[in-house]
Amino acid sequence: TKALIDFTRAPAMLGLVLDELVASAIEAYYGRPICLVMSMAQRLEPSELYEGKAYQWHHDTKGKYVKAMWLLTDVPADGQRMSYVCGSHTMWHAWSTYEQTRFSDAYARRHGPVLECAAPAGSVIVFDTNGIHRGNHNAGPRRDVIVGAYSTGRYRQGCRFDPSRLDHLSGWQRRILERSRTAVKGYG
């Protein structure tokens, strides 16, 4: 189950997806100011093994686009973790169709060692979505995460927030939000 986070209803979540340590590391990676593109909550229930869509090797089609995934539940090594091919974010992936963004296991493993992103609840996993990665949807325990997506302005969808409910944020976090803003009737 996925749901975009409407910060007009959950303003406290802004502090999480704008965590200064995580966001400043992402800004350092880009070398320039970032904006929050999207944020969502996701729950993966245990299921039979599924290998399609995001649960097969792929890269996202957005170029420089970084996601941070806060684990709200423990994710064991054989559970519903993400797998990432280290170093593959530096490759150019030419594509013109969706199918060209999906890869076989042999292709993915030829391009670098695979990092299995298993960690305890409270951990955050930050990754460049241009790298080859996959989810693992299986019978492992339920996985709950909050995901924030960041760019330097490309692919900006914006986020909904109420500017009168930002007292808990620092000036630096507010500047990120200002770059991320989408006009919402009655807000901002």
Side-chain angles (χ1 to χ4, degrees):
T1 306
K2 294 181 183 179
L4 292 177
I5 298 173
D6 181 346
F7 296 113
T8 62
R9 296 180 182 194
M13 295 304 295
L14 277 170
L16 178 67
V17 297
L18 295 176
D19 176 85
E20 289 195 39
L21 178 62
V22 173
S24 64
I26 295 169
E27 279 198 345
Y29 176 72
Y30 279 125
R32 56 187 201 224
I34 61 170
C35 61
L36 176 65
V37 176
M38 176 276 301
S39 186
M40 71 175 176
Q42 181 182 37
R43 168 169 283 171
L44 284 180
E45 295 288 357
S47 75
E48 292 183 21
L49 182 64
Y50 175 71
E51 294 190 355
K53 299 185 180 180
Y55 306 103
Q56 68 188 83
W57 290 109
H58 69 282
H59 73 85
D60 294 357
T61 57
K62 296 179 172 58
K64 278 261 192 204
Y65 195 78
V66 171
K67 286 185 179 176
M69 183 169 48
W70 284 265
L71 304 181
L72 304 179
T73 53
D74 292 340
V75 178
D78 60 348
Q80 300 195 88
R81 70 212 177 275
M82 182 184 72
S83 302
Y84 195 91
V85 177
C86 298
S88 62
H89 67 290
T90 62
M91 298 171 51
W92 171 251
H93 304 286
W95 64 276
S96 59
T97 66
Y98 174 83
E99 290 75 24
Q100 292 171 327
T101 67
R102 297 331 197 212
F103 308 110
S104 69
D105 190 62
Y107 177 90
R109 293 178 184 281
R110 265 197 318 267
H111 288 89
V114 174
L115 174 66
E116 300 296 350
C117 299
S123 300
V124 62
I125 297 165
V126 180
F127 63 103
D128 183 329
T129 67
N130 188 57
I132 300 171
H133 61 285
R134 66 171 291 155
N136 291 279
H137 200 22
N138 58 38
R142 169 189 287 164
R143 184 189 85 177
D144 291 334
V145 298
I146 300 292
V147 177
Y150 311 84
S151 79
T152 57
R154 294 181 73 195
Y155 312 107
R156 181 171 31 198
Q157 297 168 348
C159 55
R160 296 167 46 104
F161 63 93
D162 179 350
S164 69
R165 300 176 74 187
L166 304 178
D167 292 342
H168 64 291
L169 299 178
S170 70
W172 186 79
Q173 290 172 311
R174 290 177 197 204
R175 284 189 292 281
I176 292 174
L177 260 196
E178 194 56 41
R179 290 188 294 270
S180 310
R181 180 183 229 138
T182 291
V184 177
K185 189 174 181 179
Y187 297 107

